[in-house]
Amino acid sequence: MPPTPAALRALAHRTLTRQPSIQAALNEMAFLQADPIRAPARAQDLTLMQRVRGYRAGDLERLYPALDAEEDMLPNYGFVPRRVQALLHPREVGETRIEREHPELLDEVRALLRESGELHPREVAARLGRGRVANAWGGQSAASTRALDTLHHRGEARVTRRVSGVRLYGPAPHLAALRERPLPLGERLRGAVYLLAALYAPLPEASLGYLVSLSGFGLPHLRPELRAAFRRAVREELHGEKVDGLRYVWPADWDVSALPAPRGVRLVGPFDPLVWDRRRFAHLHGWTYRLEAYTPAEKRQFGYYALPVFQAERAVGWANLRVEGGELRADVTWILGVRGTAALRRGLEAELGRYRRFLGLEG
């Protein structure tokens, strides 16, 4: 008998299992999406806040040099343990715009990396110059910064740490070793597909296919092979069921009936695995949620950076959080039909208290 939407909602909440440390959460998730917007904290901090006991905004950046963690690209940019990064390299990348416009620059940056051991983009710009070039977001970046990004994407450099959110780069000898002795191709492809299924499931088969397509950014030279690995996983390794006419998939060893019903109120970030797939969100919760940070203000329905609000396993509204004068302000909107009961208000206040501690606003 296929699971009910309620059972799928409860199964999706398994990703929110609390972990004792950042490392444990990274190991469990295997991929943590990053985003620079801070409203009221960066996406990676919002995601970890829901999974790590006592987590404070900025802990990942502060502790990163001591973690088994690397910044890299899979379906999106984010953080992975090195065992996952080993699935992504060696990465074959074609000629980039920065190479065409400044053909000697990459060699000069490589030499600086070997000489310095760690580089701040400002230092490279000061020593090498070269003006500015278009970046992936439609703006302008220093050509030397784009060169560092290119070497990082190719696995010739790694992010050593961040200073006030700015990436510093160093050599990546562990990735050089992978260029010499890469993992077997089948292991890399299967590992990437299974990672996505385990992190984001249960989700519609079409949504997993979209995630696999996005992962072509992480494995750009293996797009056809990655797609074939997805089809094979759907046929042979993942469990599938139709719910309300929509085919869902999840790892075959998951027990849909064994999970306890979620409790309490949670506010999760827009890039959290619990809400990342908008197709699943609309089907299981009955309303459409959107991130509108890049939507003109006059056209927004939800606000600049709306965080979905969950009561137990259901998404019952959204909240926009901001810090003003050292105080946390919350603008909360409930969806039609949701009553602001005393239990819901108590749960919301408890969750906002957690956010105050997370943001360092206890006083």
Side-chain angles (χ1 to χ4, degrees):
M1 182 176 178
T4 64
L8 291 181
R9 289 193 296 268
L11 187 60
H13 271 70
R14 71 186 302 279
T15 185
L16 289 180
T17 301
R18 293 287 172 81
Q19 301 292 335
S21 67
I22 296 172
Q23 189 66 64
L26 284 173
N27 292 344
E28 178 69 19
M29 296 179 70
F31 171 74
L32 170 66
Q33 184 169 342
D35 190 81
I37 294 176
R38 195 187 309 221
R42 294 188 177 98
Q44 54 268 35
D45 287 324
L46 292 171
T47 300
L48 288 174
M49 177 258 194
Q50 293 292 351
R51 291 164 176 79
V52 179
R53 293 184 180 91
Y55 186 83
R56 300 293 184 265
D59 279 355
L60 175 62
E61 182 174 305
R62 179 173 59 84
L63 298 173
Y64 172 84
L67 295 172
D68 170 19
E70 297 289 337
E71 297 193 27
D72 213 319
M73 173 74 77
L74 189 54
N76 298 287
Y77 191 85
F79 299 83
V80 296
R82 284 193 174 184
R83 66 175 173 81
V84 172
Q85 194 180 38
L87 303 175
L88 308 175
H89 294 271
R91 178 181 289 148
E92 297 176 20
V93 182
E95 186 182 50
T96 62
R97 179 175 177 177
I98 194 69
E99 292 171 280
R100 292 193 298 271
E101 295 183 359
H102 304 280
E104 73 293 340
L105 183 57
L106 259 61
D107 281 338
E108 295 177 0
V109 175
R110 287 186 184 102
L112 281 181
L113 277 171
R114 289 193 297 269
E115 172 190 326
S116 302
E118 183 179 74
L119 287 172
H120 192 293
R122 280 201 305 267
E123 178 186 355
V124 182
R127 295 178 66 173
L128 299 181
R130 299 296 196 287
R132 305 184 74 78
V133 295
N135 60 35
W137 301 275
Q140 295 285 312
S141 297
S144 52
T145 299
R146 296 293 294 139
L148 282 168
D149 289 344
T150 298
L151 293 178
H152 178 215
H153 189 56
R154 288 183 170 178
E156 296 184 57
R158 65 177 293 264
V159 176
T160 57
R161 58 192 174 106
R162 290 185 180 227
V163 176
S164 300
V166 177
R167 295 188 290 258
L168 275 62
Y169 296 86
H174 68 292
L175 296 181
L178 280 174
R179 284 194 290 276
E180 295 295 323
R181 294 182 300 278
L183 294 177
L185 182 59
E187 181 180 341
R188 295 172 65 189
L189 295 169
R190 180 186 179 278
V193 172
Y194 192 87
L195 181 162
L196 297 170
L199 178 60
Y200 293 98
L203 78 170
E205 182 180 318
S207 297
L208 179 57
Y210 177 56
L211 278 163
V212 169
S213 297
L214 285 179
S215 297
F217 293 116
L219 295 160
H221 61 298
L222 296 174
R223 290 175 187 268
E225 294 88 346
L226 192 60
R227 192 72 189 174
F230 159 68
R231 291 194 294 268
R232 187 163 52 250
V234 168
R235 287 196 311 269
E236 302 173 4
E237 299 183 57
L238 301 177
H239 184 79
E241 292 278 5
K242 277 195 173 182
V243 180
D244 297 338
L246 192 60
R247 180 175 172 79
Y248 276 78
V249 293
W250 58 86
D253 58 349
W254 287 11
D255 187 349
V256 180
S257 64
L259 290 170
R263 300 172 61 187
V265 173
R266 298 281 193 99
L267 276 66
V268 303
F271 298 105
D272 193 289
L274 184 61
V275 300
W276 188 92
D277 181 35
R278 308 301 196 247
R279 179 188 285 111
R280 182 182 77 178
F281 188 100
H283 173 229
L284 295 185
H285 300 286
W287 57 282
T288 300
Y289 161 70
R290 289 188 297 272
L291 171 65
E292 297 178 329
Y294 304 103
T295 301
E298 67 276 7
K299 296 183 178 180
R300 290 175 189 151
Q301 173 187 350
F302 297 92
Y304 175 69
Y305 203 77
L307 280 62
V309 179
F310 285 81
Q311 182 183 32
E313 89 283 2
R314 297 211 65 136
V316 295
W318 64 92
N320 284 273
L321 304 183
R322 64 191 186 280
V323 178
E324 292 182 349
E327 296 287 338
L328 181 64
R329 310 294 183 188
D331 296 326
V332 182
T333 303
W334 307 119
I335 64 170
L336 189 64
V338 170
R339 294 172 51 246
T341 63
L344 179 53
R345 290 195 299 272
R346 285 194 302 271
L348 177 62
E349 187 49 45
E351 178 73 343
L352 292 176
R354 291 183 58 237
Y355 266 85
R356 292 184 186 98
R357 291 188 291 275
F358 160 67
L359 295 168
L361 303 175
E362 299 96 328

